Amino acid sequence: MLSSEELAGVIAHELSHVKNRDTLIMTITAMLAGAIGMLASLGFWFGQSRDSEGNANPVGLVGSLLIMIVAPFAAMLVQMAISRGREYEADRSGAEISGHPLWLASALQKIEQGVAQIGNEAADRNPATAHLFIVNPLHGGAMDNLFSTHPNTENRIRALEELAAHMGQGQRQRVGPWG
């Protein structure tokens, strides 16, 4: 479905993830988010404890429950925000590798249209893998929101077009919902 130039743009994007050690960054981020979740769960058990003088834990049961719910949620939001930031950086860096930001912009547009038309049941069943795709494979979230692992494709395309203009390259003709 992609031309050879668009494929080169996608490959450059993926190579920039390797160059920028994004897998390592996201693995560490996921590990820290998991650790925060575990610590929050442990906080529940210690919320009912007393110190050596017999005083109740100042956080208490309600505070422990609140921490148990809020801490993992906050960690997840940070993880998703980092993932979106890494995607923008991979777009920019990949465009520099290929020398043609509009190749990736065109590929992203085609891939986004394909995702909208063809469901991905495996990704929908396991949304934790969404960050492994070049565009968000999940249906129902096209906005650049807190719960998305990917930036909005239209925003990514706009940033790539701005980069192309900065590099002295012309605008491409758009087709589809953003054209």
Side-chain angles (χ1 to χ4, degrees), residues 48-125:
Q48 301 172 36
S49 66
R50 298 192 174 272
D51 64 17
S52 62
E53 298 173 2
N55 298 323
N57 182 336
V59 176
L61 180 61
V62 174
S64 293
L65 281 171
L66 190 60
I67 290 171
M68 191 172 88
I69 294 168
V70 172
F73 184 72
M76 178 188 70
L77 293 178
V78 169
Q79 183 179 8
M80 290 180 181
I82 291 171
S83 178
R84 288 189 305 273
R86 300 313 308 155
E87 285 301 314
Y88 278 122
E89 179 58 25
D91 287 350
R92 186 197 60 73
S93 181
E96 290 175 354
I97 289 170
S98 72
H100 297 278
L102 299 180
W103 291 357
L104 178 57
S106 181
L108 288 173
Q109 185 177 15
K110 282 185 181 178
I111 294 168
E112 177 79 11
Q113 290 170 349
V115 166
Q117 293 174 4
I118 302 168
N120 188 338
E121 292 178 26
D124 286 331
R125 276 193 311 271

Side-chain angles (χ1 to χ4, degrees), residues 23 25 32-33 38-39 84 88 92 100 127 130 145 148 153 156:
T23 302
I25 291 168
L32 290 174
M38 288 183 71
L39 289 173
R84 288 189 305 273
Y88 278 122
R92 186 197 60 73
H100 297 278
N145 62 33
S148 177
T153 302
R156 292 172 71 185

